């Protein structure tokens, strides 16, 4: 029997190990069925990883220099892209990730030639 961990499980374990997250319990759960709840920062770390993976898997964005920042599910994309099409593609990919509430797109094509 194999035991596997999902990416989210590994992120949660790492966050707990480094003290980034304190375990909590859902307030609305029945007394005998309390479930652990991750902090916003752990959820943001998971979302950031998913967005970065989605951007890395997009072949049209391979040469782009994109930085991803997350705060409470809001994604900030910054850096350099080579065209407006890349800028739009990055925003669309980020917006399609589960947990993303909004995308702020500050990606810019190179200036001056």
């Amino acid at each position: 029997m194999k035991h596997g961990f999902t990416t989210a499980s590994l992120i949660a374990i790492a966050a707990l190990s480094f003290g980034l997250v304190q375990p909590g319990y859902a307030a609305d759960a029945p007394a005998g069925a309390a479930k652990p709840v991750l902090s916003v920062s752990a959820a943001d770390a998971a979302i950031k990883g998913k967005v970065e993976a989605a951007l890395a898997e997009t072949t049209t964005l391979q040469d782009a220099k994109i930085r991803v920042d997350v705060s409470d599910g809001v994604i900030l994309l910054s850096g350099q892209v080579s065209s407006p099409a890349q800028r739009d593609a990055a925003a669309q990919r980020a917006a399609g990730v589960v947990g993303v509430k909004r995308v702020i797109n500050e990606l810019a094509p190179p200036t001056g030639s």
Side-chain angles (χ1 to χ4, degrees):
M1 179 174 184
K2 291 186 178 181
H3 295 284
F5 287 99
T6 64
T7 302
S9 297
L10 293 174
I11 290 170
I13 290 168
L16 288 167
S17 298
F18 290 107
L20 300 174
V21 178
Q22 297 297 321
Y25 296 92
D28 57 350
K35 295 181 181 178
V37 178
L38 295 178
S39 74
V40 171
S41 61
D44 284 345
I47 292 169
K48 179 178 180 172
K50 290 176 186 176
V51 169
E52 289 175 337
L55 296 176
E57 293 170 353
T58 307
T59 57
T60 58
L61 298 174
Q62 294 300 316
D63 65 336
K65 306 282 190 254
I66 301 174
R67 178 183 168 135
V68 177
D69 293 299
V70 185
S71 179
D72 195 25
V74 176
I75 304 294
L76 171 63
L77 299 176
S78 58
Q80 294 286 309
V81 293
S82 60
S83 69
Q86 275 191 330
R87 181 180 194 275
D88 295 342
Q92 288 176 343
R93 289 292 289 180
V97 171
V98 174
V100 172
K101 296 177 184 175
R102 184 173 146 222
V103 176
I104 300 170
N105 191 346
E106 294 185 355
L107 293 169
T111 56
S113 299

